[in-house]
Amino acid sequence: MEIIIWGTGKGAEDIIPCLKEENGVIAYVDNDQTRWGNKFHDSFVIAPKELINMQFDYVIVAVAINYKSIVEQLTELSVEHNKIITPYSFDHTKYSKWRKLFYLDELCFIELNRKMEDVSLHVQNMEYEVASKMQVGYYRFPKIADWKATISEIVEKGKSLSRFGDGELDLMLGGDNSLQEKDKELALRLKEVLTGNLENLMVAIPDVYGNMEGRTEEFKKCFRSHLVRGGRERVYVLLDFERTYYDAFITRPYKDFIDKRMAEEKFKAIKQIWKDRDITIVEGEWTRLGLGNDLLAGVRTCERILCPSTNAFQKYDLILRAVKKVDKSRLILIALGATATVLAYDLTKEGYQALDIGHIDIEYEWFLRGEDRKISIPGKYVNEAPGGRITEETGDLPDYSDEVITKIL
C-alpha cells in the first residue's frame, strides 16, 4: 500500500519502524515550510495542500500531541476519514484495521513507553509539587508575584518586563526551540538578564517549581520534562531565592488553565497597560499583534518595527539600533521570542519602558474563539499550532501597512 506520513519529528521516527515492509512511504507532510522539498528518510517532504492532487491509500498522522487538529486539517483538505490513521490515539478498537499497516507489538511498545515516561515525569517532580502544598521548609521555591501584582507594577510604576518561559530556559541552557536556533551569545545574554538587577525591570519566570494544580495535563508534562534530569538544579543555580520574580504567564492567561473563567478579567487588566498610550510594537513579520481584534483598541497611536519571524537574534544589533530611534515616551511592546527577553532588558537600560509581551495576541484570539486547543489563526504566525507556520495574506491591510515604520528582515 502507498502511505503518506504526516510529521517529520520524533513521532514519525518512532512510527516508521512499526510499519510493515510491504507498505511504501511515498511522501512526508509537514506544516513547517522550511522542511518542504527536503528529503526525510527516503522520501520528500511536501506541503499539506499537495495532498489534494495525490493518490494514496492512507495518511498516517505521526504526531503525538494535537493529532486531532491534524485530522481536522486533513478533513479540510478533503481527505476521506477512512484513509486517516492516528496511531498515537492508541485506540485499541482500531487495531484490527491497523494490523495490515503496523506491527502491533511495536505500536504497543511505544504506547507503554510513553505512558511510563508520563508517570516517570510526574514521580520525579512529585516531591516538589507535594512539598509546595504542605509548605515543607526543607524544599526551596523561588518567590513569584502573581499576575495582579505583575500588571500593577507595569501600570502604576512604569516598569519594564523580561519573561522566561520554557523556550528561554532551553536556550539559556544550551538548547534551541521552534523560534530560535541555539546561540552561545544569546544564552549568555539570557543569563545576564536572569541574574541582573535593573531597578526598573521586572524579571518574570514560570510559576512551575511547586504546585501546578489548575493547569492542563499538556502544560504539566511540558514543564515536568524541563525540571527532571537536572533541569531544576541548572535553573536554581541561577536564581536568587531572596528576590521576588514576577509572573511569566501574564501573556498566557487562557489556554493552559483548566478553569478559564478568569481569562476575561485578566485580558481586561492587560489592556490597561497600553490604554491611552503611544505604542511601538517590535514583532515578527507575521505576528501582527492586535490585528483583526480589539486587543489594542485603547491605544492612542501605534507604530510597528517588523523583524524576522524566526532566529531574530541574528539581527539583534540592527533591531536594537532601530528601536533606539523611537521616542522614549512611547511604550515598547515586543513579541519576538527569546530576543524580546534580551531586548526589553537593553531598552530598560536606555530609559525605555519595554515589555516582552510574548504570545498575548494569539492567546486572545483563542479566547475570543472559545478554543481550548492550539489552532492556527489566518494571516498570523502561530508556531505552536498545526498549520500555524503557513502564513498567507488575508487581504489588503492599509491601516496595518501605515503603522509599519521599519523592516529588518
Side-chain angles (χ1 to χ4, degrees):
M1 285 179 288
E2 294 188 325
I3 305 298
I4 290 175
I5 293 181
W6 188 302
T8 56
K10 186 178 185 304
E13 294 283 5
D14 288 346
I15 283 296
I16 290 168
C18 298
L19 283 173
K20 290 186 173 180
E21 287 78 1
E22 57 264 32
N23 300 301
V25 179
I26 60 173
Y28 293 88
V29 182
D30 204 290
N31 278 316
D32 187 346
Q33 300 179 45
T34 63
R35 295 182 181 270
W36 299 348
N38 297 326
K39 261 200 169 183
F40 183 73
H41 287 260
D42 295 324
S43 299
F44 284 98
V45 181
I46 63 173
K49 63 183 179 181
E50 294 185 47
L51 287 173
I52 297 172
N53 301 315
M54 294 186 68
Q55 298 294 321
F56 52 86
D57 294 298
Y58 294 101
V59 178
I60 296 174
V61 182
V63 177
I65 300 175
N66 288 331
Y67 68 85
K68 292 181 180 178
S69 297
I70 301 298
V71 171
E72 291 180 7
Q73 197 175 346
L74 285 166
T75 302
E76 291 171 1
L77 291 167
S78 300
V79 176
E80 297 173 29
H81 199 268
N82 62 2
K83 289 187 174 184
I84 302 172
I85 307 296
T86 56
Y88 286 110
S89 67
F90 300 119
D91 185 348
H92 293 185
T93 64
K94 297 179 180 177
Y95 274 27
S96 58
K97 173 186 175 182
W98 296 352
R99 191 179 299 276
K100 55 190 172 184
L101 295 171
F102 303 112
Y103 292 109
L104 294 183
D105 54 343
E106 295 288 338
L107 193 58
C108 288
F109 182 71
I110 291 176
E111 179 182 11
L112 178 61
N113 270 351
R114 287 182 175 264
K115 288 180 177 179
M116 291 298 294
E117 181 184 359
D118 289 348
V119 171
S120 175
L121 291 175
H122 193 181
V123 169
Q124 290 181 65
N125 202 50
M126 185 181 295
E127 60 178 309
Y128 285 91
E129 295 183 35
V130 173
S132 67
K133 294 182 189 178
M134 300 174 62
Q135 298 183 342
V136 178
Y138 172 78
Y139 292 86
R140 294 192 305 164
F141 302 100
K143 292 184 286 188
I144 304 174
D146 67 14
W147 67 272
K148 287 185 178 180
T150 303
I151 293 174
S152 176
E153 291 285 311
I154 295 171
V155 175
E156 297 176 15
K157 298 184 180 180
K159 290 191 175 182
S160 296
L161 179 72
S162 286
R163 294 181 313 104
F164 285 79
D166 59 323
E168 287 71 30
L169 295 176
D170 280 343
L171 287 159
M172 185 178 65
L173 298 174
D176 59 8
N177 60 46
S178 59
L179 289 176
Q180 179 67 53
E181 297 173 351
K182 66 172 64 177
D183 186 297
K184 290 183 179 178
E185 183 182 354
L186 176 56
L188 290 172
R189 293 304 318 277
L190 288 169
K191 289 179 182 178
E192 179 186 346
V193 177
L194 185 61
T195 58
N197 197 19
L198 293 182
E199 182 179 355
N200 290 322
L201 177 75
M202 297 185 295
V203 175
I205 62 176
D207 191 3
V208 296
Y209 298 99
N211 177 24
M212 285 189 269
E213 277 189 355
R215 301 293 193 151
T216 63
E217 287 304 314
E218 180 184 346
F219 174 94
K220 291 177 183 177
K221 181 177 179 179
C222 170
F223 279 97
R224 283 169 179 161
S225 66
H226 282 80
L227 295 171
V228 300
R229 294 181 289 275
R232 180 187 295 271
E233 290 75 14
R234 288 194 295 274
V235 174
Y236 270 23
V237 167
L238 299 169
L239 295 181
D240 179 355
F241 285 83
E242 299 301 316
R243 176 181 184 175
T244 297
Y245 295 93
Y246 291 85
D247 181 12
F249 295 129
I250 65 162
T251 64
R252 291 182 177 269
Y254 175 73
K255 163 68 179 59
D256 294 320
F257 291 89
I258 296 172
D259 184 348
K260 296 176 167 54
R261 288 176 294 181
M262 287 291 293
E264 184 172 3
E265 179 183 346
K266 291 180 180 179
F267 280 118
K268 284 182 179 178
I270 289 166
K271 289 179 183 181
Q272 293 302 307
I273 293 173
W274 43 76
K275 187 176 186 298
D276 297 326
R277 296 286 303 271
D278 298 305
I279 68 170
T280 299
I281 301 172
V282 186
E283 62 181 355
E285 181 184 10
W286 289 89
T287 301
R288 298 178 170 183
L289 196 149
L291 191 67
N293 58 52
D294 65 346
L295 184 65
L296 303 178
V299 305
R300 191 158 52 206
T301 64
C302 176
E303 60 186 26
R304 300 172 189 263
I305 296 174
L306 303 189
C307 307
S309 294
T310 59
N311 298 313
F313 194 73
Q314 293 177 358
K315 300 286 183 71
Y316 186 75
D317 291 341
L318 293 173
I319 295 169
L320 179 59
R321 197 178 307 151
V323 184
K324 286 168 64 174
K325 295 178 182 178
V326 172
D327 192 278
K328 290 183 180 178
S329 65
R330 301 185 72 88
L331 173 66
I332 313 297
L333 302 181
I334 316 167
L336 210 56
T339 299
T341 307
V342 178
L343 186 59
Y345 174 84
D346 285 342
L347 290 173
T348 302
K349 289 194 292 186
E350 296 289 333
Y352 290 90
Q353 184 184 14
L355 306 176
D356 168 8
I357 207 65
H359 292 77
I360 188 66
D361 180 69
I362 297 304
E363 284 272 319
Y364 192 55
E365 292 279 8
W366 293 336
F367 163 74
L368 293 175
R369 289 165 169 76
E371 284 288 346
D372 60 2
R373 296 173 298 112
K374 295 176 179 178
I375 64 166
S376 60
I377 305 297
K380 297 187 178 185
Y381 188 89
V382 188
N383 69 300
E384 297 177 346
R389 302 178 196 177
I390 302 173
T391 46
E392 298 177 354
E393 291 291 359
T394 55
D396 293 333
L397 305 167
D399 294 340
Y400 169 77
S401 300
D402 291 342
E403 291 172 355
V404 177
I405 61 169
T406 306
K407 293 184 180 181
I408 304 169
L409 303 174

